[in-house]
Amino acid sequence: MAPILPPASIGILGGGQLGRMTALAARSLGYRVGVLDPDADCAARPVADRVVVARFDDVEGARALARESDVVTIEIEQIAPAALEAALEYVPVRPGADLLRVVQHRGRQKQWLADHGFPVGPYAHLDSAESLTVASRTIGPALFVKACEGGYDGRSQIRFDGSDARSAWTSLGGRPAVGEQAIDLALELSVMVARRASGEIAVYPPAVNHHEHQILAWSTLPGDVDPRVARDARDLARAIAEQLELEGLLAVEMFLARDGRLLVNELAPRPHNSYHASELACPTSQFEQLVRAVCDLPLGAPEPTRPAAIVNLLGDLWLGGRKPDFAAALAVPGTRLFLYGKHGARAGRKMGHLAAVGDSAADALTRVQRAAALL
Ligand code: ATP
Ligand code: MG
């Protein structure tokens, strides 16, 4: 199949910050960009050529995007399969509906990973307070209980300590869920992999990620991990991408348990917060890589040329009318600022990030944290 060359048009389902940054990368390469998002004022709007305002399950909206595009991709996985299939009537959709169906439901995703022999921690499918009690006895007591649909940044999930199953179950709205054994974590990492229809694959080295209140706080790339763990993590991500016949990007979030097990936490078939540092660290950022992968162009080099780190900027920084001191942060050498142009800062909402390079992952992290502290 012939590559999709500029000035073709790329349609992105989702107009959040990941869509915005994909659009910027696409524009640098000379592509035109259309975006579909329920919010007419979404983060990608100022950098897109056109915006279709529609919900993620709006089949007509997906058709409208696809009709004006040469290929359609996603920046969020909660797109209704029917919308993906509608887009597919006009142009290739990468990644495709089959992959999305597996990934967008936590229960199906876990089952798929387990069925294909990929390592996941002990878990159970839950459909009632009683099933939660049983799971807590067998694989707990402490569990992370996550609704099968609709969660991100720690939403729609709770940590269950084994005591009051009924109120825990009710607090999640009584929706189907998975209960995961609470893993004693040595560290959290993620691996980004890109694959194109021809089968060519590019695997980035692992990023090391630190979460606070279940939201990513900072990330380093390449993360400082044992070379054997890094190799195993890359092999694992590559194998999952191949098994899924991925077209596009896949972020594989992993746990390294204190007992040495490397476990898959979850899959995200799109750009990922933990690879923002690829903009500074790597010859090919995750966003350019996504464009290359979905346009069936040769993939770019994923190997970092220097370490970088990012700190997320959450809405909390703006609360009470505060104005973060960006000038002070940017005075720290090697620092860059990324703001997503979102209106309406709320506690916990991702508004932007700071990034910095350094001589090592630790040095880059120290620098970017110093800059963030000046905000
Ligand atoms: P995100 O959108 O940031 O990826 P999410 O809402 O999809 O978050 P998860 O990735 O499942 O949620 O979990 C968020 C964080 O909660 C993890 O990165 C980890 O820090 C912690 N966590 C989740 N599940 C477990 C577990 N089974 N054991 C230990 N920690 C966990
Ligand atoms: Mg996660």
Side-chain angles (χ1 to χ4, degrees):
M1 222 190 318
I4 297 162
L5 295 171
S9 182
I10 300 176
I12 307 173
L13 291 160
Q17 64 266 22
L18 300 174
R20 174 185 172 102
M21 296 179 80
T22 303
L24 287 167
R27 283 190 162 227
S28 294
L29 285 161
Y31 289 96
R32 288 168 298 135
V33 179
V35 161
L36 179 149
D37 198 272
D39 179 3
D41 208 17
C42 61
R45 183 195 54 82
V47 299
D49 295 280
R50 60 216 147 70
V51 179
V52 176
V53 181
R55 285 161 43 128
F56 296 140
D57 59 358
D58 182 334
V59 169
E60 278 316 313
R63 284 201 181 100
L65 180 75
R67 266 199 300 269
E68 305 286 322
S69 303
D70 296 284
V71 61
V72 164
T73 188
I74 61 166
E75 63 107 46
I76 180 171
E77 51 271 37
Q78 306 308 338
I79 310 286
L84 293 172
E85 268 146 22
L88 189 60
E89 293 164 14
Y90 297 89
V91 289
V93 177
R94 299 172 171 154
D98 289 349
L99 185 150
L100 259 286
R101 220 176 263 115
V102 170
V103 167
Q104 65 191 184
H105 183 278
R106 274 189 199 276
R108 271 203 296 278
Q109 185 188 122
K110 283 244 183 267
Q111 189 75 51
W112 183 91
L113 287 164
D115 287 349
H116 290 84
F118 296 114
V120 292
Y123 76 97
H125 298 279
L126 306 178
D127 58 6
S128 63
E130 291 71 36
S131 63
L132 174 56
T133 304
V134 172
S136 177
R137 279 204 204 107
T138 48
I139 58 171
L143 298 175
F144 279 78
V145 185
K146 307 177 180 179
C148 284
E149 289 178 313
Y152 69 99
D153 287 349
R155 277 166 245 213
S156 303
Q157 64 171 269
I158 51 163
R159 195 175 189 286
F160 176 60
D161 62 9
S163 59
D164 187 352
R166 191 146 301 277
S167 67
W169 185 249
T170 310
S171 75
L172 265 182
R175 294 172 284 164
V178 293
E180 301 176 9
Q181 186 178 81
I183 306 294
D184 188 13
L185 300 175
L187 55 84
E188 292 192 54
L189 61 164
S190 52
V191 174
M192 180 61 76
V193 43
R195 184 178 176 279
R196 57 197 273 236
S198 68
E200 189 196 354
I201 277 204
V203 188
Y204 289 79
V208 164
N209 307 322
H210 176 74
H211 292 75
E212 283 165 16
H213 310 294
Q214 280 147 288
I215 301 179
L216 185 73
W218 57 256
S219 181
T220 54
L221 180 70
D224 194 5
V225 292
D226 182 286
R228 261 179 325 178
V229 173
R231 194 199 54 213
D232 290 350
R234 289 174 96 161
D235 289 349
L236 185 51
R238 169 188 291 271
I240 293 171
E242 281 175 342
Q243 186 73 51
L244 283 169
E245 296 182 22
L246 170 73
E247 294 177 30
L249 291 185
L250 181 74
V252 183
E253 297 181 17
M254 302 182 199
F255 296 144
L256 180 65
R258 275 193 205 283
D259 60 16
R261 282 175 304 159
L262 185 63
L263 304 170
V264 177
N265 171 30
E266 61 170 346
L267 308 176
R270 51 167 172 79
H272 195 264
N273 194 169
S274 66
Y275 272 82
H276 277 316
S278 64
E279 292 256 24
L280 281 72
C282 304
T284 316
S285 76
Q286 61 170 342
F287 302 106
E288 179 179 337
Q289 199 73 288
L290 174 59
V291 173
R292 289 179 181 231
V294 301
C295 292
D296 207 15
L297 288 168
L299 298 178
E303 223 49 68
T305 51
R306 56 187 178 173
I310 66 117
V311 168
N312 269 338
L313 305 181
L314 302 181
D316 309 60
L317 275 170
W318 280 260
L319 292 187
R322 262 194 95 244
K323 289 202 166 52
D325 190 350
F326 296 120
L330 286 171
V332 176
T335 302
R336 282 176 63 189
L337 172 66
F338 298 79
L339 288 177
Y340 309 147
K342 291 185 184 174
H343 310 287
R346 289 189 305 274
R349 187 175 193 208
K350 291 172 182 167
M351 303 297 287
H353 62 273
L354 278 176
V357 292
D359 297 330
S360 63
D363 179 43
L365 181 61
T366 305
R367 237 175 240 268
V368 75
Q369 286 181 323
R370 183 147 52 90
L374 295 171
L375 291 173

